[in-house]
Amino acid sequence: MSNFCKGTYVRIFLDCRMAYWSGVGRYTRDLVRALHELPDIEMTLACAPGDARVLDDNERVKNVEVAGSPLSFGGMQALAEAVERARPDLVHCLHFPTPWKCEVPLVVTLQDLTPLAVPGVMGWPKRVAYRWLNDRAVAKATRIITPSDATARDVLHFFPRSQGKIVAIADAADDFSVGPVGQIPAGIPVHGKSYIFSMGNTKAHKDLPTLLDAFQRLAPNRAGLHLVLAGEEPKGYLDARLSGEPRRRAHFTGPINDDQLRALYAGATIFAFPSLYEGFGLPPLEAMAMGTPVVAADAASVPEVVGDAAVLVPPQDARALLAALAKLLDSEDRRKELAAAGLARARQFTWAHTAKLTAEVYAEVLR
């Protein structure tokens, strides 16, 4: 990376305390590992006490433990003290929590603004705190990275003073797709059978009810077709929304690891993604990288991610989703066409490229 002075290192402090949270965790781990492949960056990584290290200490990496919740005043102060001790050239907060004070340039990644953009996702007291923390990040940041143009527009809409600070840099899934493919969990009876796979997140903006509505109508005419949802089932969730044969053929996986997740993607006939709001939308990209055709809601950042390599349907339209799923199930040729297009599309998103663009932001800020 030639944007820094030749023969010198730039010292970056990265807040990795959320490296094992869902969503932001994968971004944190993969970006940090890709940044380490660049030749002229030294990193200090702030870690939560007791967490596994994203990278071990070496000549260009130093881990420091920072106590306190990243979302608390104590955690913000502890982060500021760690930054002061590290004396970096630049701080990059990989989520919206920021140091209480910061005397060097600050880059902040805002993954999404779901609680502000989607009513009902978060109760009002937490929503007030969430908005304050994001507003503070926008005010303090020299540059703001978002994973999509859609999120960039949201940040500008909710926080107009972000004008001129935002850079959209996409996430990736290339590291995920090359990992080992495990076994589908033993309790999921889909071996040798056709199944639609989706994420089992039941939050309002994920719009799982639209997929269940479509499956309730689709399954009776498709002998042996199953629906598999990644994650834990809230008590009685499927019983309240499905009945008869469709209910017997719908399954939450329970807790799974990445090897099992890859197996579920790879074995699926179709990956369905009805989500109404995503900061980036990693699951469709992961599915495409595993060679699985995708049907998704035409909402928020998802069209940016999938391009022409997936079938997009109007959000919250169960009939349109049903029609798209049925058409794909009936056409093996179309599924193969989409799978090939998805693989080609997924290859355009790499963590090496994400890291390169991120480092260019660092260089621009330090200039």
Side-chain angles (χ1 to χ4, degrees):
M1 183 180 55
S2 60
N3 291 301
F4 298 122
C5 295
K6 188 174 181 181
T8 64
Y9 288 104
V10 61
R11 301 186 306 276
I12 309 297
F13 185 105
L14 295 114
D15 184 7
C16 300
R17 293 175 295 168
M18 291 146 281
Y20 296 95
W21 292 20
S22 63
V24 66
R26 178 159 288 170
Y27 169 79
T28 298
R29 298 190 303 271
D30 292 334
L31 177 63
V32 166
R33 290 164 183 161
L35 286 170
H36 187 50
E37 296 299 314
L38 299 175
D40 39 11
I41 290 179
E42 289 183 349
M43 294 187 288
T44 299
L45 308 181
C47 308
D51 272 1
R53 302 299 188 239
V54 176
L55 293 171
D56 292 331
D57 286 347
N58 58 53
E59 67 278 4
R60 292 196 292 120
V61 175
K62 180 182 179 181
N63 289 280
V64 295
E65 288 195 351
V66 177
S69 166
L71 304 176
S72 70
F73 290 114
M76 294 163 68
Q77 180 60 39
L79 185 64
E81 292 168 0
V83 168
E84 188 173 11
R85 289 191 296 270
R87 300 174 63 84
D89 298 312
L90 179 146
V91 173
H92 186 177
C93 289
L94 303 172
H95 205 24
F96 59 82
T98 50
W100 188 248
K101 65 176 183 177
C102 186
E103 303 298 334
V104 297
L106 175 65
V107 175
V108 179
T109 297
L110 297 183
Q111 304 287 346
D112 62 77
L113 292 178
T114 305
L116 302 183
V118 183
V121 169
M122 185 180 285
W124 74 264
K126 288 184 177 180
R127 197 166 182 262
V128 168
Y130 176 87
R131 186 177 188 117
W132 181 82
L133 287 167
N134 277 272
D135 186 51
R136 187 177 186 279
V138 166
K140 298 291 183 183
T142 310
R143 288 290 180 274
I144 299 162
I145 294 173
T146 65
S148 65
D149 290 330
T151 299
R153 290 191 294 269
D154 287 342
V155 172
L156 188 58
H157 170 74
F158 285 102
F159 305 106
R161 58 178 162 178
S162 63
Q163 179 75 45
K165 294 184 177 185
I166 307 172
V167 181
I169 301 175
D171 294 345
D174 56 314
D175 64 312
F176 177 82
S177 61
V178 299
V181 178
Q183 298 292 322
I184 291 174
I188 308 301
V190 295
H191 182 69
K193 298 178 181 177
S194 179
Y195 66 92
I196 297 167
F197 183 47
S198 189
M199 298 293 104
N201 190 325
T202 59
K203 290 182 179 178
H205 66 288
K206 300 297 184 179
D207 196 25
L208 195 52
T210 291
L211 175 57
L212 296 177
D213 188 358
F215 185 71
Q216 178 70 49
R217 306 181 201 190
L218 180 67
N221 300 318
R222 306 277 170 172
L225 178 68
H226 288 250
L227 175 65
V228 179
L229 304 169
E232 293 261 28
E233 179 185 5
K235 187 176 180 180
Y237 188 84
L238 290 177
D239 289 338
R241 291 164 177 82
L242 295 174
S243 60
E245 193 62 23
R247 172 62 190 93
R248 288 187 285 275
R249 289 193 252 137
H251 324 276
F252 276 85
T253 63
I256 54 173
N257 58 36
D258 280 353
D259 294 359
Q260 293 170 314
L261 180 57
R262 279 185 282 269
L264 288 160
Y265 277 129
T269 308
I270 299 169
F271 178 74
F273 197 64
S275 180
L276 305 175
Y277 185 88
E278 297 290 325
F280 178 73
L282 197 55
L285 188 61
E286 291 175 341
M288 292 192 298
M290 296 301 297
T292 304
V294 172
V295 176
D298 187 1
S301 63
V302 173
E304 289 180 55
V305 176
V306 303
D308 296 328
V311 177
L312 294 173
V313 298
Q316 293 185 299
D317 189 335
R319 290 184 181 276
L321 180 56
L322 167 63
L325 293 171
K327 189 173 182 179
L328 264 188
L329 289 167
D330 288 339
S331 177
E332 184 178 0
D333 287 345
R334 179 58 175 151
R335 294 199 304 273
K336 288 180 178 178
E337 179 185 325
L338 271 181
L343 284 167
R345 178 71 176 175
R347 283 194 287 268
Q348 298 177 28
F349 296 82
T350 69
W351 283 110
H353 185 60
T354 300
K356 176 180 179 293
L357 295 181
T358 302
E360 288 175 1
V361 171
Y362 298 162
E364 190 270 334
V365 165
L366 291 172
R367 282 198 298 270

